[in-house]
Amino acid sequence: MPVTRNRLRPWAAVAAALGAALTLTSPAANAEQPAADPLALWTKTSTVRIAAGVTRTTWTEKVDLQTGTSPDNRVRPRILQIVEIDPTAGALTLESTVGASDGAAEKVIDQLAQVSAPTRHPYAGVNGGLFQLEPAGSGADIPVHSSVSATDGVLHSSSCWTGGKGSTGAVIQYGTPYITKLRTDLKLIGPSGETVRIDDFNRTPGRPTHCARDAEDTLVSAKPYVYTDPDEIVVFTDDYGLPVPRPGTDPKVVATTDAGFEVAIDAHGVVTKVREGRGGTVVPAGGRIIQGIGTGAQWLRDRLAVDDRVTIDQKLHDVTLDRDIPLDDSVDVVSSFHQLLRNGAIPTELPQSCSEERTGRNGTTQICIDSRTALGTNVYGRPVLATLSGETTEDGVYKEANEDGAYLRDFATLLSDPDLGIIDAINLDGGGSTTLVTRTATGPVVNTPPTDRLSGAFVHRKVADSVYTGVGGYGMYAK
């Protein structure tokens, strides 16, 4: 079970991955047609060639010259940025990354700097899926993916349960993304063939975040969404990068105080250490650490001893196509909770949600200021990255109250404009997480203004993962 970082990709696989993407663009029964010209009140202000096959197009919301406001009473115009990736025009790929480690949140620009092979040379990247930070008791900014996430075939979290229906995500394989419903099926197989469910990866046992991972999880908090399960087994991968959690990470969730039981295994699945209690140790290179609480701890305690061999059986199931996706080096997964576009239309189930509303300049109109990030594919089958945010001044100084965005369905409406040609898209993390980084002749540039504050200054938020395009080659370069 070593975490492999090198990969050779045959060109032939591109066609297969693209074919899978096209399979999922059949007309959706539960979708409505978007407005005819959602960008009528926007101006295409620039198109910049970042690299061969990578372009960034900026759309700016029009401003009323008499009142100095945008049409829906925003103080300043919003900026929509679209990065289109054309693998036929250059040796390009699309990847996700967790940066230096899965256990430490980092800014997008820092995660892209950690891409393992310099030849990947990221040209453009955005923040990835939703996440929550472990409580302050964990002692570090430890992000927990809110649904299924994977890099290079290594799972970093399980899917949402939702009655066995899984959750929305983008599978990126051989540089091509496709959007589907995903479900993880995880189990630990003991030396005598007995099995037990694995609840998740790389997070505190007893405390699933954002969504239930199985029918046994119970909601304990809605702001943020936190669930609990007193009987869990959680596996930590060797790219977690930090000492694994100790008991008592969250004093508000009783299950996390369970002392539990811990098992270390090497790259061959051989048990190298067992002990009462858990936490504070680092995952061995190529190996895994398994933590259990409640009945999960008892299962480990009763069945595993040093020199036993165990198997971590993990399946990633495409619910839409009813097939298992082999978890090899070619597979990355970026999580989402909402599909914005399906076959060019807005799904009827997409909510008009917003995390933060404010009153517009007229003093009465409510506007949503959630910055937004999206990943999708267009009519040519090409990957597309998109961000919607506030603007900066001409000299690059960030303005006050610069966070700006849209209600979720309104964001989808913008992306549905025929001029953009986007067919399928998912919503990624937004608000202060929204970040677009592009490479220029003088180095990387962050193209979206920060909205979080640290000691009074605007800063870009640290995130759990990123999606980027860089040098590909499929067989010419190793990751």
Side-chain angles (χ1 to χ4, degrees):
M1 293 175 295
V3 179
T4 306
R5 288 297 180 186
N6 294 324
R7 140 184 358 170
L8 297 180
R9 295 171 163 180
W11 277 105
V14 178
L18 186 56
L22 296 177
T23 301
L24 293 178
T25 59
S26 57
N30 297 320
E32 62 185 35
Q33 293 302 315
D37 191 6
L39 288 175
L41 298 177
W42 294 65
T43 301
K44 184 191 291 187
T45 50
S46 67
T47 297
V48 178
R49 179 183 180 274
I50 300 170
V54 184
T55 58
R56 175 174 60 89
T57 300
T58 300
W59 295 75
T60 304
E61 193 173 20
K62 295 179 181 177
V63 174
D64 187 312
L65 296 179
Q66 292 183 335
T67 64
T69 62
S70 63
D72 61 351
N73 287 291
R74 295 176 186 272
V75 175
R76 301 181 184 89
R78 293 170 293 175
I79 305 296
L80 176 66
Q81 300 189 87
I82 305 292
V83 174
E84 182 178 349
I85 302 144
D86 180 6
T88 67
L92 298 172
T93 188
L94 189 74
E95 310 277 352
S96 73
T97 179
V98 294
S101 68
D102 191 51
E106 294 179 300
K107 298 175 185 177
V108 173
I109 194 168
D110 296 326
Q111 288 190 342
L112 298 189
Q114 295 289 339
V115 171
S116 56
T119 50
R120 275 288 177 230
H121 195 75
Y123 295 129
V126 295
N127 59 285
L130 278 70
F131 67 96
Q132 288 184 24
L133 294 177
E134 294 272 33
S138 62
D141 289 335
I142 299 177
V144 178
H145 303 274
S146 294
S147 183
V148 59
S149 171
T151 54
D152 299 347
V154 177
L155 285 172
H156 295 304
S157 60
S158 62
S159 67
C160 294
W161 172 237
T162 55
K165 298 178 181 178
S167 46
T168 301
V171 178
I172 305 173
Q173 191 167 26
Y174 301 112
T176 302
Y178 76 93
I179 296 166
T180 186
K181 288 281 189 180
L182 297 165
R183 187 184 70 238
T184 49
D185 297 313
L186 313 169
K187 60 184 177 181
L188 188 65
I189 305 175
S192 301
E194 60 272 53
T195 65
V196 66
R197 171 182 164 76
I198 296 172
D199 291 86
D200 213 339
F201 292 90
N202 295 358
R203 56 113 170 135
T204 296
R207 191 183 183 277
T209 63
H210 209 99
C211 66
R213 265 45 176 192
D214 58 30
E216 299 172 357
D217 293 349
T218 303
L219 183 67
V220 294
S221 169
K223 288 187 178 180
Y225 279 101
V226 175
Y227 293 76
T228 190
D229 182 352
D231 305 299
E232 284 200 322
I233 290 178
V234 174
V235 174
F236 292 84
T237 59
D238 73 341
D239 54 4
Y240 184 66
L242 295 175
V244 294
R246 298 179 183 274
T249 296
D250 188 348
K252 296 181 180 179
V253 180
V254 175
T256 69
T257 64
D258 189 328
F261 195 79
E262 188 171 279
V263 176
I265 61 176
D266 65 16
H268 305 288
V270 176
V271 176
T272 59
K273 184 178 181 180
V274 298
R275 72 180 181 100
E276 292 291 339
R278 59 185 175 88
T281 54
V282 176
V283 185
R288 299 290 186 266
I289 285 181
I290 306 168
Q291 288 189 349
I293 60 171
T295 58
Q298 196 60 44
W299 194 97
L300 299 175
R301 188 181 290 116
D302 291 344
R303 290 169 176 80
L304 299 184
V306 172
D307 293 333
D308 281 343
R309 187 179 296 272
V310 299
T311 300
I312 296 175
D313 183 65
Q314 46 190 16
K315 290 184 174 62
L316 178 64
H317 189 74
D318 184 328
V319 177
T320 307
L321 297 179
D322 192 21
R323 71 183 184 99
D324 287 339
I325 301 171
L327 284 166
D328 58 33
D329 283 358
S330 70
V331 174
D332 293 344
V333 179
V334 182
S335 66
S336 177
F337 281 91
H338 298 297
Q339 185 161 359
L340 299 169
L341 294 178
R342 184 184 299 131
N343 195 31
I346 303 170
T348 55
E349 69 269 17
L350 182 68
Q352 181 72 326
S353 59
C354 178
S355 296
E356 186 173 358
E357 293 180 316
R358 289 183 186 169
T359 303
R361 186 164 181 170
N362 64 359
T364 57
T365 303
Q366 286 293 107
I367 59 174
C368 179
I369 63 167
D370 294 351
S371 299
R372 299 289 183 182
T373 310
L375 165 66
T377 54
N378 63 17
V379 292
Y380 302 106
R382 299 169 185 167
V384 173
L385 308 174
T387 61
L388 177 66
S389 62
E391 64 168 5
T392 63
T393 59
E394 292 183 0
D395 60 5
V397 176
Y398 297 122
K399 292 182 176 178
E400 189 73 22
N402 49 41
E403 181 175 9
D404 214 346
Y407 292 96
L408 196 58
R409 288 187 69 87
D410 290 345
F411 180 47
T413 299
L414 288 176
L415 297 184
S416 72
D417 190 285
D419 284 346
L420 301 181
I422 300 175
I423 296 296
D424 293 314
I426 57 171
N427 186 58
L428 300 180
D429 202 12
S433 295
T434 291
T435 311
L436 169 63
V437 176
T438 60
R439 181 172 291 277
T440 67
T442 57
V445 172
V446 180
N447 302 97
T448 51
T451 58
D452 287 0
R453 284 181 179 269
L454 181 64
S455 301
F458 283 116
V459 296
H460 284 93
R461 183 179 296 171
K462 296 178 180 180
V463 298
D465 60 342
S466 302
V467 184
Y468 72 93
T469 181
V471 175
Y474 302 105
M476 295 172 62
Y477 297 96
K479 184 172 183 179

